[in-house]
DNA sequence: CATAAGAATAAGGCTATCCTAAACAATATA
DNA sequence: TATATTGTTTAGGATAGCCTTATTCTTATG
C-alpha cells in the first residue's frame, strides 16, 4: 500500500491551493507528471478517505484532515532540508529531492526530535516558512521581486520554485539568496526585465524569473 | 513502483545468509511476514533483475549485484541508527524502525555526507558493524554469551535481535549494553540458564536470550 | 522402496496505481 | 446561440504485490 502516493497528492494539492482554489485536475497532473485521468481516479479515492472535497468537473480542496496531513508533511520536508543543508553541507539547490523522500519516512517521534535538534527553525534554506507543531498554515511573506518598481529596494525572503536546481544555482551566481539586499535600478517597460543591484554589483534578471523571488520592500 | 519492497527482500536474504545458505523461501516469508507463495513469486522477479540466484525448490542467494545493494542498505540503516541515537537522543531500543524507513529514502550523496558527518562510525548502537563505503561484507564478531562457561568473562560487543524493543529494554535493565563487562558465575546444566555479574551486580538470564548476545571472551 | 509429512510452487483472485483512447462537459469564440 | 477548443471523466487494460487453495516436489521414515 503506497501511502507515499497519497502523500505526494496531498502535498501538490496543498501547494497549489496557494495560487488556485479549488485546484484543477490538470494542475495536479502537471505537477505530479501523471495523466489527468489518473488524477481524477485518485481524487475520488482521496474523497472516500475524507482528505479532499471534490465534485466532478469542480476541482479539489483539502479538508481539515487533509490540510493537517499536508502541513505535517511540509514541516517534515523543510526540517530535513535544514538538516541536510546545515549539518550535511548540501547546497540549497540540492536539498529538495532528498527531503521529498525523507519526509515520507519520518515518524512523529523522529519529527519531534529532529525539530528540537534543529532548534525548531522558522524557515527552510529557501526561506519558506516551516509550519509549527501546532500546524497552523504559515503565511508566505513578501511580494514578487518582479512587482518592484525602478528605484525600490527590498530584502529577499524566499524563492518559490524550490525544486529547480538549475534555477537555484543561477540565483546563487547572482548573489540572490534569502536575506540578500536587492535594489531595482531599471525595469524595461517592454517585457519587465529588471536591472538590479545585489552585493554592490549590477545584474539583469528576466521578469519570469523575478516573479519567483519574494522580497520584502524596504 | 515500490523499489522499497525489493530492498526489504534483499535485506532479509542478506541477513539470513549469515545463518543459512542458500536461503529458503519459508525463512524469507517468516521474516517479512508474507506468504511463501508471495516469496516464490518475488524470487522469480529478483532473478530476472539479476539480484539473486534462484532455482525452484533450491532456495536463493544474493548475486554480486544483490550483495552490493544489500550492503549499501545495511550501511545506510546503521548510519541512521547512529544519527537517531547520538544526535536525536532516541534510545537503542527505538532506532531500528525509523532507520528501516529512512534507509530507503537515502541517496548516494546523502549517505556519503551522513557518513562523514557521523565520522564514519564502525558500529551501530547495537554494536553491529557498519559496512564501509567500499562495501566489503563485515564480519560479525564475538561468540554468544550462552556459550561461555562458568568462570569465564567477556565484553559484550553486540546484540543480534536489533528490532525487538522489549528485549532491548530488558537488556538495558540488566546493564547489558555494548561494551559492558560480563562474568558468568554459574551455568545451570539443566537448561543453560546463566547467573552473571554485570556492573558489580548479579543477574540471571535465560539461555535463549543469552544466545542473542555476542561477547568477546577475555 | 513406498509413503507420509513438510516445503515450495502454480493457479486464480484482489487492490492500488498508472496508462491510452473515447466520451462528455465547460468555456471561449464567432 | 452555435461551434470549436480545452479540460475532465469513463472505459478498458496493464503491472506489482499480496493472498488463499490446490498441486507438485523433496525428504524423512518405516
Ligand atoms: Mn515527497
Ligand atoms: Mn525549501
Ligand atoms: Mn527497511
Ligand atoms: Mn543496529
Amino acid at each position: 500500500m503506497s501511502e507515499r502516493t497519497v502523500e505526494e497528492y496531498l502535498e501538490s494539492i496543498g501547494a497549489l491551493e496557494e495560487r488556485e482554489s479549488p485546484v484543477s485536475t490538470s494542475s495536479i497532473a502537471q505537477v505530479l507528471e501523471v495523466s489527468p485521468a489518473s488524477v481524477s481516479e485518485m481524487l475520488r479515492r482521496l474523497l472516500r478517505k475524507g482528505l479532499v472535497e471534490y465534485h466532478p468537473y469542480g476541482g479539489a480542496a483539502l479538508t481539515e484532515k487533509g490540510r493537517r496531513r499536508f502541513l505535517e508533511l511540509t514541516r517534515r520536508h523543510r526540517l530535513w532540508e535544514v538538516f541536510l543543508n546545515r549539518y550535511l553541507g548540501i547546497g540549497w539547490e540540492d536539498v529538495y529531492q532528498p527531503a521529498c523522500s525523507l519526509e515520507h519516512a519520518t515518524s512523529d517521534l523522529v519529527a519531534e526530535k529532529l525539530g528540537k535538534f534543529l532548534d525548531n527553525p522558522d524557515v527552510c534554506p529557501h526561506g519558506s516558512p516551516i509550519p509549527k507543531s501546532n500546524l497552523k498554515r504559515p503565511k508566505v511573506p513578501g511580494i514578487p521581486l518582479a512587482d518592484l518598481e525602478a528605484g525600490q529596494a527590498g530584502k529577499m525572503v524566499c524563492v518559490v520554485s524550490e525544486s529547480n536546481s538549475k534555477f537555484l544555482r543561477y540565483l546563487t551566481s547572482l548573489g540572490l539568496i534569502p536575506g540578500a539586499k536587492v535594489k531595482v535600478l531599471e525595469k524595461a517597460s517592454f517585457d519587465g526585465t529588471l536591472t538590479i543591484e545585489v552585493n554592490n554589483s549590477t545584474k539583469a534578471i528576466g521578469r519570469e524569473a523575478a516573479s519567483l523571488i519574494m522580497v520584502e520592500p524596504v
Side-chain angles (χ1 to χ4, degrees), chain A:
Chain A
M1 68 168 110
S2 201
E3 178 64 10
R4 159 86 187 240
T5 309
V6 168
E7 296 186 341
E8 295 296 2
Y9 271 89
L10 293 180
E11 283 192 271
S12 314
I13 297 168
L16 285 166
E17 273 186 340
E18 306 271 319
R19 331 272 237 49
E20 177 189 349
S21 182
V23 178
S24 70
T25 300
S26 53
S27 308
I28 303 168
Q30 200 183 345
V31 170
L32 292 178
E33 303 186 89
V34 127
S35 76
S38 300
V39 175
S40 277
E41 199 185 341
M42 189 56 151
L43 287 180
R44 251 182 294 120
R45 220 172 285 146
L46 295 178
L47 177 65
R48 259 190 276 114
K49 286 179 193 276
L51 294 165
V52 302
E53 271 173 62
Y54 169 57
H55 304 284
Y57 293 99
L62 294 179
T63 60
E64 191 52 31
K65 184 176 164 194
R67 199 190 57 95
R68 220 177 312 118
R69 198 101 194 69
F70 160 67
L71 290 174
E72 237 167 55
L73 286 163
T74 303
R75 175 171 167 81
R76 282 156 205 208
H77 180 106
R78 293 183 179 160
L79 286 178
W80 281 119
E81 284 187 347
V82 171
F83 170 72
L84 294 169
N85 181 244
R86 203 194 279 171
Y87 290 92
L88 301 195
I90 298 176
W92 75 328
E93 68 272 18
D94 291 323
V95 295
Y96 185 91
Q97 274 311 319
C100 182
S101 295
L102 291 168
E103 65 194 2
H104 309 286
T106 310
S107 66
D108 290 351
L109 174 69
V110 171
E112 192 213 310
K113 299 279 192 177
L114 181 62
K116 264 188 197 131
F117 172 65
L118 299 172
D119 214 10
N120 288 307
D122 291 324
V123 296
C124 79
H126 310 99
S128 296
I130 299 180
K132 297 293 150 199
S133 321
N134 64 31
L135 298 182
K136 284 255 168 48
R137 177 167 226 142
K139 189 79 197 163
V140 178
I143 61 169
L145 170 58
D147 290 2
L148 291 190
E149 296 305 324
Q152 283 193 284
K155 192 177 70 166
M156 174 167 169
V157 283
C158 72
V159 61
V160 167
S161 178
E162 312 190 13
S163 61
N164 188 337
S165 304
K166 228 170 297 183
F167 177 56
L168 295 177
R169 251 192 303 278
Y170 169 61
L171 293 188
T172 308
S173 76
L174 294 178
L176 279 175
I177 57 175
K181 299 248 164 61
V182 211
K183 186 169 176 189
V184 177
L185 302 179
E186 244 188 286
K187 188 173 186 178
S189 60
F190 168 57
D191 64 357
T193 298
L194 301 174
T195 307
I196 58 177
E197 186 180 299
V198 193
N199 291 337
N200 299 314
S201 77
T202 304
K203 312 272 184 177
I205 183 169
R207 208 198 55 78
E208 189 73 343
S211 72
L212 299 174
I213 297 163
M214 307 302 281
V215 299
E216 236 169 32
V218 291

